[in-house]
């Protein structure tokens, strides 16, 4: 894929987080007809097949990789992609959705801290405020403004699983930038999807009662369309745009956009006929303003520099 301008990168990241946010209410309906393991399997199988066909159709040369490099990519895909989805699926069986969303909302902050430690770089005051403000908006949305709900937050088996998934995603975000130095976006994304699909198949078969083909054939037209949407739009485009965004902006800045996932989830739910409260609207506004802060500060600084030169 060609490199994007900064503004185009931001647009692609917004499309990415919108697609990921919309998955939650859409997948909720699909899960009425299909198991979570089968949905995860088909999500990445459809994505992997699509990317493989695209690479073959455009006759892109496949990079020459060593066995060690293939192993690294496989581990990143299994842990970062498959591990995240597997942890979420199992974790939500033992904890509430509010707890799960709260833990996943910590991903941008954890990614920024870990990346800063690895790079020996500290976040600017604007970035720190943006992260804290975005997290505050997310907390407001998922707790519905209830301080008591936040104070009663406790860790159980499900919380630990989702925390592990959150850490896996943060690791994937950071590793994608490192791998991007010696492997382009399309092959890396394809291999990550294949690794996630294979790992989910192994886990599903190990548990028994894993029948993805039978479940797919039994879906209604609406559910089947939703599975294709999740596999193509939310996964293929979503992951490609995310990896490009990480490569262009770095893990810390790109992860700030992750705070918009629950916002877009709420907007999609509203479009599907589900109610959105005033608290959720206020939380969305906080997240958007927090996200825009670094850009507004940079724009103001640039204008001030132009004025001084004039």
């Amino acid at each position: 894929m060609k490199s994007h301008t900064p503004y185009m990168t931001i647009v692609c990241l917004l499309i990415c987080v919108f697609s990921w946010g919309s998955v939650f209410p859409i997948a909720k309906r699909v899960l009425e007809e299909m198991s979570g393991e089968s949905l995860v399997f088909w999500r990445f199988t459809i994505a992997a097949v699509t990317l493989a066909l695209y690479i073959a159709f455009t006759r892109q040369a496949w990079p020459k990789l060593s066995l060690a490099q293939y192993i690294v990519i496989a581990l990143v895909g299994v842990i970062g992609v498959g591990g995240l989805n597997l942890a979420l699926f199992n974790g939500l069986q033992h904890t509430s959705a509010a707890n799960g969303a709260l833990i996943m909302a910590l991903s941008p902050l954890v990614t920024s801290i870990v990346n800063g430690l690895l790079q020996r770089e500290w976040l600017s005051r604007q970035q720190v405020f943006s992260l804290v403000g975005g997290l505050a908006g997310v907390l407001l949305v998922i707790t519905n403004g209830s301080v008591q709900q936040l104070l009663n937050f406790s860790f159980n088996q499900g919380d630990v699983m989702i925390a592990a998934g959150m850490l896996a995603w943060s690791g994937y975000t950071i590793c994608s930038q490192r791998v991007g130095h010696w492997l382009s976006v399309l092959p890396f994304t394809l291999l990550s999807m294949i690794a996630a699909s294979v790992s989910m198949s192994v886990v599903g078969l190990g548990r028994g009662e894993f029948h993805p083909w039978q479940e797919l054939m039994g879906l209604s037209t609406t559910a089947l369309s939703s599975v294709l949407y999740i596999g193509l739009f939310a996964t293929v485009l979503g992951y490609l745009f995310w990896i490009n965004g990480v490569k262009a902006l770095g893990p810390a800045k790109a992860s700030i956009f992750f705070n918009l996932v629950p916002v877009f989830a709420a907007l999609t739910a509203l479009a599907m006929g589900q109610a959105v409260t005033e608290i959720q609207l206020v939380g969305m506004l906080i997240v958007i303003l927090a996200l825009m802060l670094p850009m507004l500060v940079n724009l103001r600084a640039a204008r001030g520099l132009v004025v001084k030169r004039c």
Side-chain angles (χ1 to χ4, degrees), residues 45-256:
T45 298
I46 292 173
V49 171
T50 302
L51 287 178
L53 290 175
Y54 175 79
I55 291 175
F57 181 77
T58 55
R59 297 182 178 180
Q60 297 188 31
W62 189 259
K64 295 181 179 179
L65 302 174
S66 65
L67 178 60
Q69 288 175 317
Y70 275 112
I71 293 175
V72 169
I73 298 169
L75 289 175
V76 171
V78 170
I79 298 174
V81 181
L84 167 64
N85 286 270
L86 185 62
L88 285 174
F89 175 75
N90 287 288
L92 288 175
Q93 294 180 334
H94 303 284
T95 189
S96 66
N99 280 22
L102 174 59
I103 295 170
M104 286 304 302
L106 295 175
S107 177
L109 183 59
V110 172
T111 301
S112 299
I113 293 174
V114 173
N115 186 67
L117 292 174
L118 293 175
Q119 298 291 337
R120 296 183 180 180
E121 297 176 355
W122 297 104
L123 299 178
S124 66
R125 285 179 296 178
Q126 292 83 3
Q127 289 174 322
V128 171
F129 185 87
S130 182
L131 284 169
V132 174
L135 180 58
V138 171
L139 286 174
L140 183 65
V141 171
I142 64 179
T143 62
N144 199 28
S146 173
V147 177
Q148 190 64 33
Q149 182 177 349
L150 183 60
L151 293 177
N152 290 336
F153 179 80
S154 60
F155 290 99
N156 56 31
Q157 181 182 355
D159 297 330
V160 174
M161 288 182 179
I162 295 178
M166 181 268 293
L167 292 175
W169 176 250
S170 295
Y172 178 81
T173 301
I174 295 173
C175 289
S176 65
Q177 186 186 43
R178 303 294 179 88
V179 174
H181 292 313
W182 47 269
L183 183 62
S184 59
V185 172
L186 282 177
F188 174 60
T189 305
L190 173 58
L191 293 173
S192 297
M193 299 303 175
I194 293 175
S197 179
V198 171
S199 64
M200 285 304 302
S201 299
V202 172
V203 172
L205 291 173
R207 290 185 173 184
E209 299 183 357
F210 182 62
H211 308 290
W213 281 101
Q214 292 89 329
E215 292 187 42
L216 184 70
M217 295 298 101
L219 291 179
S220 64
T221 303
T222 301
L224 181 59
S225 300
S226 298
V227 171
L228 292 175
Y229 170 86
I230 293 172
L232 295 175
F233 186 72
T235 305
V236 176
L237 288 183
Y239 274 77
L240 288 177
F241 286 173
W242 178 257
I243 294 174
N244 269 307
V246 170
K247 187 175 182 180
L249 301 180
K253 293 181 180 179
S255 292
I256 295 175

Side-chain angles (χ1 to χ4, degrees), residues 26-42:
I26 292 175
K28 185 176 181 179
R29 292 188 177 179
V30 176
L31 291 173
E32 296 175 358
E33 305 180 30
M34 172 179 279
S35 67
E37 288 175 315
S38 292
L39 179 56
V40 172
F41 169 81
W42 282 115

